[in-house]
Amino acid sequence: MTVSAPASAPESPKTGTDERLLGTSALKRLLGRPELGSVVGALAVFLFFSLVADSFLRASSLSTVLYAASTIGIMAVPVALLMIGGEFDLSAGVMVTSSALVSSMFSYQMTADVWVGVGVSLLVTLAIGAFNGLVLTRTRLPSFIVTLGTFLMLTGMNLGLTKLISGTVSTKSISDMDGFSSAQALFASTFTVGGVQFKITILWWFALVALASWILLRTRTGNWIFAVGGNKEAARAVGVPVERTRIGLYMGVALGAWISGQHLLFSYDVVQSGEGVGNELIYIIAAVIGGCLITGGYGSAIGSAAGAFLFGMTSKGIVFAEWNPDWFKFFLGAMLLLAALLNAWVRKRAEATT
């Protein structure tokens, strides 16, 4: 009996690995990143408006763009995680308004400290997210149907309860109540960097992107999210808690809605009950531009941030370029479409190299 030795023993990376192969592998990994297309698209839009709008590169303009992006990005992050998990939420836009209305009306009607209203709003908003997830998992209805029903219910409740309690379509002012100043400092204040003022929502946005990226890339929960979005039945077969993961994702969207709702309330003091309708599409668009697939199982939090930043640049860049406002929606749609096409092209190139 003879034993043949391997042709060559394993060697250390320094001597046994072709450096050209290492470089190619790194390139493939880069091209395979879901956020690459949105980052390239964001750079293209940035360069475009830098050329056509003289004021676009000013520090104050950057602050404005970042603020616009953050108000979208705070919601785009949890919406992206939900889409990676194979679902989406049509009630996300009006849920933001519901969160603000609960905080305002509870504080005013109960003459309680504003922070009590903020806490009650958190519980109510998380309950709405849990309701979406529970109905979805118990009935196995499509998320489109479930969240469309929630969207319609919240839209009616926002208007009906506000008129019933306040007598008008907007809430009463709570700016003179205890706790308003401290809550405003947390949710709607500004900070100065280099003489330029930035909104605190930018910090909330960055923190959520960092947290979501850590969850997706460094935790078991992140593996569950990708598995559920890729194939629910296969994930269930290997022990992934599918129902719990989906409910948690909807509660994550609710958490983002609560943060956005508190910013809305403490920025303007009063809330119009009809706000938020249609914003859910903006959040979904930002996530899709960021590389999330409608079918689930693919995407990233950083990509959603790039998508939100692209949206913020487009919406404010049109203003800085002083284009005719009658054409605002046309230019906005054209820029977003071009960015999405560029995203798709980069992804095809990535697939061609693998």
Side-chain angles (χ1 to χ4, degrees):
M1 175 177 172
T2 60
V3 179
S4 58
S8 59
E11 298 182 35
S12 65
K14 290 183 179 180
T15 59
T17 304
D18 191 328
E19 293 181 359
R20 292 171 299 173
L21 294 178
L22 282 175
T24 303
S25 177
L27 177 61
K28 287 182 178 180
R29 288 196 299 270
L30 175 63
L31 290 175
R33 292 299 304 167
E35 66 271 9
L36 179 62
S38 60
V39 171
V40 173
L43 288 173
V45 172
F46 180 83
L47 291 174
F48 175 78
F49 281 115
S50 299
L51 295 174
V52 302
D54 295 335
S55 61
F56 186 75
L57 294 178
R58 295 175 184 171
S60 58
S61 299
L62 175 62
S63 171
T64 302
V65 168
L66 284 174
Y67 174 60
S70 68
T71 57
I72 299 170
I74 287 173
M75 287 299 295
V77 170
V79 167
L81 264 63
L82 182 64
M83 292 181 66
I84 294 171
E87 310 293 345
F88 55 96
D89 191 346
L90 295 179
S91 66
V94 293
M95 198 188 306
V96 171
T97 306
S98 299
S99 172
L101 289 172
V102 171
S103 290
S104 179
M105 290 191 290
F106 189 91
S107 299
Y108 185 86
Q109 297 299 323
M110 301 300 176
T111 61
D113 189 288
V114 165
W115 281 105
V116 177
V118 170
V120 171
S121 174
L122 175 60
L123 295 177
V124 171
T125 310
L126 289 176
I128 295 172
F131 171 81
N132 280 337
L134 283 169
V135 172
L136 184 77
T137 56
R138 294 294 184 268
T139 64
R140 299 187 182 276
L141 289 171
S143 57
F144 176 86
I145 299 298
V146 173
T147 59
L148 178 60
T150 308
F151 162 80
L152 294 172
M153 288 190 293
L154 290 179
T155 302
M157 289 177 61
N158 288 350
L159 178 59
L161 289 179
T162 304
K163 293 185 71 174
L164 178 64
I165 295 173
S166 303
T168 64
V169 297
S170 64
T171 60
K172 305 294 184 181
S173 173
I174 60 171
S175 60
D176 58 346
M177 297 185 66
D178 293 338
F180 183 87
S181 297
S182 56
Q184 187 180 50
L186 180 61
F187 294 108
S189 61
T190 60
F191 62 96
T192 303
V193 177
V196 180
Q197 289 190 333
F198 296 88
K199 288 285 188 178
I200 199 170
T201 50
I202 299 171
L203 298 182
W204 278 104
W205 178 33
F206 289 168
L208 287 175
V209 171
L211 176 62
S213 297
W214 175 75
I215 291 173
L216 284 176
L217 302 177
R218 294 288 184 266
T219 70
R220 182 172 57 180
T221 302
N223 293 333
W224 291 348
I225 293 171
F226 281 109
V228 170
N231 189 316
K232 291 191 290 291
E233 298 308 320
R236 185 178 286 109
V238 296
V240 174
V242 174
E243 284 74 19
R244 192 170 68 189
T245 300
R246 295 163 85 187
I247 293 171
L249 289 172
Y250 276 103
M251 292 182 72
V253 174
L255 178 62
W258 175 73
I259 296 171
S260 296
Q262 304 318 296
H263 171 68
L264 176 66
L265 171 61
F266 294 107
S267 292
Y268 303 104
D269 182 23
V270 296
V271 182
Q272 298 291 327
S273 59
E275 294 185 23
V277 176
N279 286 349
E280 63 281 346
L281 296 179
I282 295 176
Y283 308 145
I284 293 172
I285 288 170
V288 171
I289 291 176
C292 292
L293 295 180
I294 296 293
T295 53
Y298 188 82
S300 72
I302 295 176
S304 74
F309 184 56
L310 191 151
F311 205 105
M313 284 193 296
T314 304
S315 61
K316 297 305 177 183
I318 291 171
V319 177
F320 296 142
E322 299 181 351
W323 292 340
N324 188 334
D326 294 338
W327 292 85
F328 177 83
K329 291 292 179 67
F330 172 83
F331 287 118
L332 182 60
M335 295 303 299
L336 291 177
L337 180 60
L338 288 173
L341 290 173
L342 181 58
N343 187 4
W345 179 80
V346 171
R347 284 183 52 200
K348 286 181 179 180
R349 296 286 296 178
E351 292 172 358
T353 60
T354 56

